Amino acid sequence: MPNTQQYPNGAVQLDHTVVHASDRQLSAEFLAVLLGLEVGAPFGPFLPVDLGNGVTLDYYAMADEPIQPQHYAFLVPDKRFDAVIARLEAVGVTYYADPHHTEPGHINRLFGGRGAYFADPDGHNMEIMTRPYVRPRR
């Protein structure tokens, strides 16, 4: 029988997702360094980055196939947002206020928070934001 504490109110939760990368080590370390996280121990063909809420991004090397860029959004505390922007600037990675990367060096202020987008080594569109999106209710 499952531990009901893992599933509050019977909620479905994301456990992990696979991120395709041409170099799993490079991509996992890139994200971990920028977000102030750690790369975990390899798990089979996967190299995990633990996001701290029970979810991992499991980097998987696809060296012989083109990588189809995806979008990954990270909710970060205000203080960590400033640190991520500083790290992006320190390593020369351009960040943008918009998902289409037309406003370089700027952040957005959506939903009363701050946000920015940047590309990882394989072109995945990474987003950091300090407030979750306000979604319409049905």
Side-chain angles (χ1 to χ4, degrees):
M1 180 156 210
N3 179 348
T4 56
Q5 289 180 338
Q6 289 179 308
Y7 307 98
N9 302 320
V12 174
Q13 299 176 28
L14 181 65
D15 179 76
H16 69 276
T17 192
V18 174
V19 180
H20 294 155
S22 55
D23 180 332
R24 73 179 190 170
Q25 188 75 39
L26 173 69
S27 292
E29 287 179 3
F30 173 85
L31 185 68
V33 166
L34 290 174
L35 296 183
L37 303 172
E38 293 186 17
V39 176
F43 180 69
F46 305 107
L47 190 59
V49 174
D50 185 344
L51 300 179
N53 62 344
V55 176
T56 61
L57 295 182
D58 294 342
Y59 281 87
Y60 178 78
M62 292 188 53
D64 297 334
E65 297 179 42
I67 304 299
Q68 184 70 358
Q70 301 293 317
H71 173 71
Y72 299 92
F74 305 94
L75 187 59
V76 299
D78 281 310
K79 288 180 182 179
R80 187 165 285 194
F81 182 90
D82 294 330
V84 174
I85 293 296
R87 288 185 196 112
L88 287 166
E89 290 173 343
V91 298
V93 173
T94 303
Y95 58 91
Y96 303 84
D98 64 305
H100 302 292
H101 295 194
T102 63
E103 299 178 56
H106 294 278
I107 65 168
N108 65 57
R109 298 202 177 268
L110 297 174
F111 307 106
R114 297 178 294 158
Y117 299 82
F118 59 95
D120 87 339
D122 286 301
H124 293 300
N125 195 16
M126 304 301 199
E127 177 182 7
I128 55 170
M129 58 187 175
T130 61
R131 300 288 179 277
Y133 289 170
V134 177
R135 300 181 190 280
R137 296 190 183 255
R138 291 182 122 189

